Structures are given as structure tokens and as C-alpha cells.
Amino acid sequence: MEKILNFIDGKFVEPQSGEYLDNYNPATGEVYSKVAKSNATDVDMAVAAAKTAFPQWSAVTTEERSQYLMRIADVLEKSLKEFALAESIDQGKTVKLALDFEIPRAVKNLRFFATAVLHHEERSTEIDGVAVNYTVRNPMGVAALISPWNLPLYLLTWKIAPALATGNTAVCKPSEMTPMTAFLLGRVLQEAELPNGVCNIVQGLGSEAGDALTKHDDVKLISFTGGTATAGAIMQNAAPTFKKLSLELGGKNASVVFADADLQECLNTSLRAGFQNQGEICTCSSRVFVEHSIYDEFCEKYAAAVSKLTVGDPSRRSTFMGPLVSKEHKEKMLSYIDIARSDGGEILSGGQAASLDTPFSDGYFIEPTVIKGLDPKSKVMQEEIFGPIVCIAPFHSESEAIELANEVKYGLAATIWSENIKRCHRIAKALDAGTVWINTWMLRDLRLPFGGMKASGIGREGGKDSIDFFTEVKNICVKL
Ligand code: TXE
């Protein structure tokens, strides 16, 4: 059985403890590999390698760092199919989604920051003939890059690219639930001849390897993507040594549908927004608020379309939804559906585990589920579920729609559907969300900041915001 090792100082190494965790294929429920159960000793080795590599890497020209990232992107792109299959087996997403969306976006992340860093501008001002001020930025040192299980390679490269492009070195801690593509990335870094120690990957539990990493004195900054609860623990670890933090957390995103929306376009997009990647995307629309005059029509048409989504073998191109990432996550989904029923929700589509033939009979599959009739303040409409469960509720006015959308502790993303663009701009400004899509979903321009407000996190990453996060700015004043 394949062993998923750590990648430290340019080499694959066993965990010092010699211990491994089972790594499951969510489609079959079988253990298909073993992943290094790293501890503080492994983390110390990785941080030491990154610290040793930092002086030389930060002295490499921006142009040369850009070329390294381009080379990594080229090598990764050559292995697109291998990574897509690995991602699908590890996380449960369909091979099609990994091939069309996740892995190409990982390549794009690398190329985007390889060029963005070449065009980054700083500021200067003149004090009326007295002095000139200008800003410069320097890399900070060893960056801890901690990523979640839902878009493993997409979100890890979203951190690696700007961290390395700006001259930092990195210690990555991928999720213990989806370690495979980070493991394979180590081979890509070797083939691209990235200098040893510039990018290290430590596998293992967040509560063990992740905890040791976020406490480490030599880690200067942490870019974290994951759950809101985990972020609290990381903030506490980071505080004593004033580490710089970027926290991209959960969401409970609203989609607001007005009667004048292009309904077919809205329905088609809302299928993706609700159930793509089994609804395990932090920007998924899990709450849909519909203007009362089209509420019944929307519920009927959306539920009918959702019931036609194919759940099954993630390797088949016709499959829309694969399994959930773990047995625990599947059970969490089913418990929320039970709570919805007891809170008076009406299940319009789905509502139970999906039963499949062997070899998938023990997989973590559930039916995409649509629920109406819940109080907007109920548990299922307030808590992040992070799976294929969408709740629909009506609204009667613009102000009510805004109030309903904003009355959760999260503020990551939102979507507005209406042909009245003036109204859309007005509502977008009023919604508590770091990203608002109007008549679309998940259309991303990497030059713009991404991240959430309220319990969805602090800091923004993307374009200039990432370069600013991964560097330390200083202001230099010269008397004329
Ligand atoms: O998070 P966890 P998950 C959110 C998503 C959901 C969650 C899903 O909405 O809430 O992330 O990811 C490591 N010290 N986003 O369940 O458990 C852990 O090993 C240090 C939002 O994986 O928080 C894993 O590598 N590290 C996002 C990572 O943290 C620790 C987009 C995340 O794990 C740790 C995607 C600890 N004490 C998902 N405990 C966005 N807003 O963009 C765990 N980890």
C-alpha cells in the first residue's frame, strides 16, 4: 500500500515516529494508502530546512523566482490527468471536475503569481520639494501554509505561489483527509529543480503537525484555509510570537433571487452553486431566498432539476456528484437533514443516503437535498453544513432579502439574481459578504481580493493583496 511521505529539504522522508494514518477512498470506504502521522519533530525539520533556504531564496531575483514558478506550472500541467485522478480518489470529487476545474486552476495559480510579482508596483510621494517618500517590500521568512480537504491542490497552490514568488520559503500542511496531491506535488517540485528547502510539505493531523507548525518560533506568517473553529486555535498559537495571519474560513452563503431574474439561467447556475463538488466549496450557495411571487415556481423547478443530478462513480463523466469526503462528514449531513425534518422543514428532493451497487455500496454518498419551510433562524439555515444541502425561503421586499441574507455569523460570498442592475449594485453594497456575484457564480478574477468578513475570516488573498500579505512593507524618506 502506498505510503504518503513528508517532503522536506527536497527529499521524501518517513515520519520520525514511523507512524501512519489510514487514508480512505470515499467512493468505496476502503483504505487505499497510508499517510505520515507527523509530529513536532518532523515540523522542526521542515521549518529548519525552510529557514536555511530562506537567505538564498530571498536573494534570488524576482525574475528567477517567476521562472521557477512557471517551470512548476509546466511540470504540473504535464501531469494533469494523474493529479485529477488522485484528487478524485482522495476527496470524492468527480474526475471531470478535477480535470476541468481544480487541477487547471492550480496551474493557473502558479502562473498568475509568477507574472503578478513582476508587475507589482509600490508607492512614492513628494513633500513639496522637501523630501521624497517611497515604499519597499521584503519577504518575511518561513511561511506556514495550511489547507483544507475540499479543494486540496487548488487552495494549496493559491498559497504556495505568492509565498514563493515574493521570496519567502514555505512549510505546507495539507489536510490529513486529502494528502495525495500534495504528496505528488513534491515530485513536481523535484522535477522543476526548485532549490531544496524552499517548499516543504508535512503531512499529518491538524491537532498534531498543524498545531506544532502554528506554534513554531521560526514561522513568521500563517496562511490558513479551513474551519472557523480551527482558526481560533491557530490565532491563539500565533499570538505569543505576533505571527501575521490570513484566515479564509467557512461560509453560509445566500443567493437572492428576484422575480425579474433570468429564471432558467438562475436555475442552471444554482445547480452548480448548490451541489458542485458535493456542495463542499466554501462559496456554495446553501441558502436561497426567492421573491414570494415566483417562490412556488422556483421551488418546483429547482427540486425537479436537482432530483435529476446523477450521484455515483466519480470516475464516470456522466456523474455530477461523487461521495462526501469522509464517513463522519456523510453522517454529519444526514444528522442535519434529520434536524431539518424535526424543525418542520419539507424535503423537496433527496433527503437520504444514496444506495449504490458494489464497489460503491460502502461509499459516503448522499442524495443532493433541497429543503423548504424552515425558519431562517433555524439550525440548518444558520450553521455551516459544507455539503449538498440547500434551503429555500421566500422574501417580500428588498430590505427583507438583505436582512435574511445577513442574519448569519458568516460573511464569505453571496449571489444576486435580477435584471435590474441598479438594484443589484445597491443590494451588493448592503450584503455582508467578501465576494458578491451578480447573475453568475464562482466567476473569479485572480487580481481581486478573496476572503470573508465576520466569522468567515480575516485578511484577503488574491493579486496585490496576496503580495502585500506575504511581504513586509517599509517607508523610506529621503530629504531633497
Ligand atoms: O477544516 P479544518 P476542513 C472551510 C469550509 C469548512 C472547512 C473545511 O467552509 O468550514 O474549511 O475544511 C488543519 N492547528 N473552507 O474541515 O478542520 C487541518 O489538518 C493547525 C473555507 O479541512 O479547519 C487542515 O489541514 N492546523 C475556505 C486544515 O487545518 C489545524 C475554502 C483545515 O482543517 C488544526 C475552503 C490546528 N489545531 C474551506 N486543526 C475559504 N473561505 O476560502 C486542523 N488543522
Side-chain angles (χ1 to χ4, degrees):
M1 188 170 283
E2 181 154 30
K3 278 185 174 180
I4 296 172
L5 304 175
N6 290 331
F7 182 72
I8 298 175
D9 206 20
K11 295 177 284 303
F12 287 100
V13 292
E14 302 247 12
Q16 293 305 296
S17 67
E19 290 181 58
Y20 286 85
L21 302 162
D22 288 340
N23 188 37
Y24 290 83
N25 173 346
T28 62
E30 290 165 348
V31 176
Y32 86 99
S33 55
K34 297 279 186 182
V35 55
K37 184 176 182 291
S38 305
N39 57 29
T41 308
D42 305 291
V43 167
D44 287 347
M45 287 165 59
V47 174
K51 189 177 179 184
T52 304
F54 176 66
Q56 196 166 353
W57 180 250
S58 57
V60 163
T61 65
T62 304
E63 179 80 39
E64 283 174 283
R65 289 199 293 265
S66 171
Q67 287 161 1
Y68 274 111
L69 285 178
M70 281 302 201
R71 225 174 15 251
I72 296 167
D74 294 346
V75 174
L76 177 58
E77 192 167 52
K78 279 189 322 191
S79 323
L80 217 57
K81 286 202 170 68
E82 179 194 8
F83 273 84
L85 189 57
E87 193 74 76
S88 173
I89 294 170
D90 225 20
Q91 195 264 344
K93 63 169 54 70
T94 61
V95 173
K96 183 177 184 319
L97 185 64
L99 211 49
D100 296 350
F101 171 67
E102 168 135 12
I103 310 304
R105 173 58 199 277
V107 173
K108 189 174 177 183
N109 288 342
L110 292 158
R111 291 190 174 135
F112 172 79
F113 283 107
T115 52
V117 74
L118 299 175
H119 307 290
H120 180 76
E121 295 177 350
E122 279 305 310
R123 292 177 288 167
S124 76
T125 58
E126 179 190 350
I127 304 171
D128 300 353
V130 174
V132 166
N133 284 270
Y134 65 97
T135 58
V136 293
R137 287 182 173 276
N138 293 323
M140 296 183 66
V142 178
L145 310 180
I146 303 177
S147 48
W149 49 258
N150 60 320
L151 301 170
L153 195 68
Y154 168 144
L155 288 169
L156 183 55
T157 50
W158 180 240
K159 300 170 187 298
I160 289 175
L164 269 52
T166 49
N168 300 283
T169 53
V171 177
C172 308
K173 214 302 291 172
S175 173
E176 53 274 34
M177 291 199 274
T178 51
M180 186 56 83
T181 44
F183 171 59
L184 296 176
L185 184 66
R187 296 176 187 163
V188 171
L189 301 179
Q190 285 180 326
E191 188 175 338
E193 296 177 346
L194 187 71
N196 294 344
V198 170
C199 187
N200 305 274
I201 302 165
V202 176
Q203 303 279 3
L205 295 173
S207 54
E208 194 172 11
D211 183 58
L213 183 59
T214 54
K215 278 175 180 163
H216 201 292
D217 287 351
D218 292 333
V219 165
K220 299 300 177 199
L221 65 170
I222 301 169
S223 172
F224 168 76
T225 299
T228 299
T230 308
I234 290 174
M235 289 179 87
Q236 287 179 14
N237 281 357
T241 47
F242 299 100
K243 297 179 190 348
K244 195 174 181 181
L245 288 175
S246 166
L247 303 173
E248 302 241 352
L249 309 180
K252 188 70 178 182
N253 310 307
S255 174
V256 179
V257 183
F258 285 90
D260 72 337
D262 175 336
L263 193 54
Q264 197 50 55
E265 176 71 18
C266 171
L267 286 164
N268 295 343
T269 306
S270 299
L271 285 179
R272 280 193 308 118
F275 303 101
Q276 183 168 300
N277 198 42
Q278 301 75 245
E280 295 162 333
I281 301 176
C282 57
T283 52
C284 275
S285 304
S286 50
R287 295 180 297 146
V288 182
F289 297 106
V290 180
E291 193 161 13
H292 67 97
S293 57
I294 60 161
Y295 179 67
D296 292 340
E297 180 189 6
F298 183 94
C299 287
E300 185 190 336
K301 287 182 175 174
Y302 191 57
V306 170
S307 64
K308 294 190 181 79
L309 293 177
T310 49
V311 180
D313 175 357
S315 66
R316 293 171 64 93
R317 288 195 69 80
S318 59
T319 301
F320 184 86
M321 249 179 61
L324 296 172
V325 71
S326 68
K327 190 174 178 185
E328 295 72 18
H329 201 56
K330 173 187 170 184
E331 285 158 8
K332 178 179 167 184
M333 296 303 112
L334 294 173
S335 71
Y336 271 110
I337 293 170
D338 289 343
I339 291 166
R341 286 196 176 94
S342 55
D343 283 353
E346 180 188 344
I347 308 288
L348 299 181
S349 181
Q352 58 193 1
S355 54
L356 280 74
D357 299 332
T358 52
F360 306 112
S361 47
D362 294 332
Y364 314 135
F365 297 90
I366 72 164
E367 296 171 347
T369 297
V370 180
I371 303 170
K372 73 176 236 187
L374 283 172
D375 182 316
K377 292 198 187 317
S378 65
K379 189 179 175 70
V380 174
M381 287 197 78
Q382 286 290 312
E383 294 183 4
E384 182 188 40
I385 298 175
F386 210 52
I389 299 173
V390 172
C391 298
I392 310 178
F395 67 85
H396 295 76
S397 69
E398 238 185 71
S399 58
E400 187 191 11
I402 292 168
E403 189 184 335
L404 287 168
N406 286 345
E407 66 178 5
V408 287
K409 71 174 189 174
Y410 296 100
L412 184 60
T415 305
I416 304 166
W417 291 93
S418 168
E419 295 299 298
N420 177 340
I421 294 306
K422 276 177 75 175
R423 167 164 68 187
C424 292
H425 286 294
R426 187 169 58 244
I427 294 177
K429 187 94 167 69
L431 292 179
D432 295 344
T435 298
V436 181
W437 282 291
I438 297 174
N439 297 328
T440 185
W441 177 72
M442 207 62 180
L443 191 53
R444 293 271 291 111
D445 182 330
L446 305 190
R447 292 169 293 183
L448 292 186
F450 179 84
M453 53 180 78
K454 302 190 328 189
S456 290
I458 50 174
R460 293 290 185 273
E461 292 192 41
K464 179 181 179 327
D465 302 85
S466 289
I467 293 171
D468 288 354
F469 172 69
F470 283 102
T471 54
E472 200 140 54
V473 67
K474 68 171 68 173
N475 169 13
I476 298 171
C477 176
V478 183
K479 192 166 182 324
L480 296 177

